[in-house]
Amino acid sequence: MHKAGFVNIFGKPNAGKSTLLNAIIGEKLAIISPKVQTTRHRITGVLTEPGYQIVFSDTPGIIDPKYKLHEKMMSAVKSALEDADVALLIMDAKDSLEENLELFESLRLKVPAILIINKMDNLVKADMDALLERVKAWGKAKAVVAISARQKKGLPELMKEIVAMLPEGNPFYPDDTLTDKSTRFLVAEMIREKIFQLFEEEIPYHTTVIVTQFQEKETLTKITAEIIVTRDTQKGIILGEGGKSIRELGTQARKEIEQFIERKVFLELFVKVRGKWRDNDLFLKEYGY
């Protein structure tokens, strides 16, 4: 009997959805940052083991949309709700339980759900036990599991519950598939992650990254990427004095890309200003949203 299914991850921004996906797949597919709203797309990770294949989806944190970009992010959540076989509802152990349960109820799930309490290492055992009891009393999750995605604690228990709920079926992807996203997409996301790490305040939220060239030569891979911002002042900040900031960004991104594609990389970065791109359907389509 072979099992296969779509297992989609839902929760508030910064609950640990991307960290969980990366921990389960064992590869860094989704970018992570302490800042909220890092994930903008639905990121797929495929786990194939003897007897089952699971197609996981990391979705953007659920928010009240303020821009067309946010609306596109929430439509990614909607599509994930529609094709899920199992829903993983993840919350931060220190966050408000009532707010999270209200959010999970608003999803109107039609499939079995596992409620995951993440960052269990932030609570003492007595508090965690009390929280688990309150969650179980909610009664709308088929299973409740406490984990630390960052420390990979509790993952075997979680996987056991997921596999038990999977429907029978044939694999959707070949055995060696890790994700349905292209290398170009993952490279753009790695550059965007560095922007989250290196720049403060609103800069990462006004920024997107497009890979315009990805050329594999004999000795290296040549990559050109455009960093799109909404204002000239933001362009100035990303460039930095005498180009210092963009050089640092390029160095950090190049090292991570080289590790990922296992080849030497020549990375060229350009910054372009596109006012209000987050509210422009044409720009959003062009930038892959």
Side-chain angles (χ1 to χ4, degrees):
M1 182 182 73
H2 190 276
K3 292 184 158 196
F6 289 85
V7 176
N8 302 341
I9 310 167
F10 304 97
K12 287 166 71 173
N14 237 5
K17 296 180 294 298
S18 300
T19 307
L20 175 59
L21 176 73
N22 294 340
I24 289 172
I25 301 298
E27 290 282 347
K28 189 170 174 185
L29 297 178
I31 66 172
I32 51 175
S33 156
K35 297 184 175 80
V36 297
Q37 293 170 41
T38 310
T39 302
R40 290 179 181 165
H41 297 265
R42 183 177 172 181
I43 311 277
T44 303
V46 183
L47 181 69
T48 304
E49 296 288 355
Y52 65 86
Q53 185 181 80
I54 306 173
V55 184
F56 287 96
S57 278
D58 174 25
T59 61
I62 299 164
I63 53 168
D64 197 13
K66 292 186 173 64
Y67 299 95
K68 283 186 177 172
L69 170 64
H70 290 164
E71 288 169 17
K72 302 275 185 192
M73 287 158 66
M74 291 309 97
S75 70
V77 174
K78 188 171 182 287
S79 74
L81 284 168
E82 287 165 1
D83 66 23
D85 292 304
V86 178
L88 302 184
L89 309 175
I90 187 168
M91 63 169 281
D92 184 323
K94 285 205 157 181
D95 200 6
S96 159
L97 177 61
E98 288 71 22
E99 276 181 30
N100 278 279
L101 294 183
E102 194 178 317
L103 177 73
F104 298 149
E105 285 186 8
S106 75
L107 297 175
R108 296 194 172 94
L109 290 167
K110 296 180 178 71
V111 295
I114 300 171
L115 198 149
I116 301 166
I117 301 170
N118 190 26
K119 309 181 188 179
M120 62 186 277
D121 41 314
N122 289 340
L123 288 186
V124 296
K125 188 177 182 304
D127 290 345
M128 177 54 75
D129 289 344
L131 181 57
L132 282 166
E133 285 307 310
R134 288 169 66 202
V135 172
K136 284 172 186 170
W138 179 53
K140 294 185 183 175
K142 282 260 176 135
V144 181
V145 183
I147 68 162
S148 168
R150 193 168 51 85
Q151 296 181 359
K152 299 187 179 178
K153 284 183 186 168
L155 295 190
E157 292 85 344
L158 174 60
M159 287 305 302
K160 192 176 165 189
E161 296 288 358
I162 293 170
V163 173
M165 293 181 199
L166 283 180
E168 287 179 39
N170 296 319
F172 299 99
Y173 293 96
D175 286 0
D176 58 352
T177 305
L178 267 183
T179 181
D180 63 352
K181 294 295 184 192
S182 68
T183 305
R184 286 172 83 115
F185 172 85
L186 295 170
V187 163
E189 287 287 273
M190 286 173 197
I191 298 167
R192 200 165 65 81
E193 181 182 54
K194 297 304 169 202
I195 294 169
F196 267 90
Q197 290 171 0
L198 292 171
F199 298 96
E200 293 299 316
E201 304 305 328
E202 89 282 5
I203 294 284
Y205 300 105
H206 287 258
T207 306
T208 196
V209 177
I210 317 299
V211 172
T212 54
Q213 183 186 26
F214 191 97
Q215 200 176 5
E216 293 195 346
K217 297 181 177 286
E218 272 187 44
T219 55
L220 55 75
T221 299
K222 187 180 181 195
I223 299 170
T224 306
E226 291 178 359
I227 298 165
I228 311 294
V229 293
T230 56
R231 293 197 292 271
D232 283 313
T233 49
Q234 294 161 353
K235 178 178 179 176
I237 291 167
I238 287 180
L239 290 172
E241 199 176 328
K244 187 183 174 189
S245 297
I246 199 164
R247 278 198 301 275
E248 175 64 18
L249 170 61
T251 300
Q252 288 197 23
R254 178 182 52 76
K255 285 177 183 171
E256 184 145 338
I257 296 163
E258 285 178 338
Q259 200 177 347
F260 177 66
I261 65 171
E262 297 179 335
R263 283 200 89 202
K264 194 166 172 55
V265 167
F266 175 77
L267 177 64
E268 244 183 334
L269 298 177
F270 297 94
V271 187
K272 288 193 173 178
V273 179
R274 293 282 182 272
K276 296 189 176 175
W277 70 265
R278 297 180 301 171
D279 243 339
N280 182 307
D281 281 324
L282 281 174
F283 282 145
L284 287 167
K285 193 171 182 184
E286 183 188 338
Y287 301 155
Y289 294 103

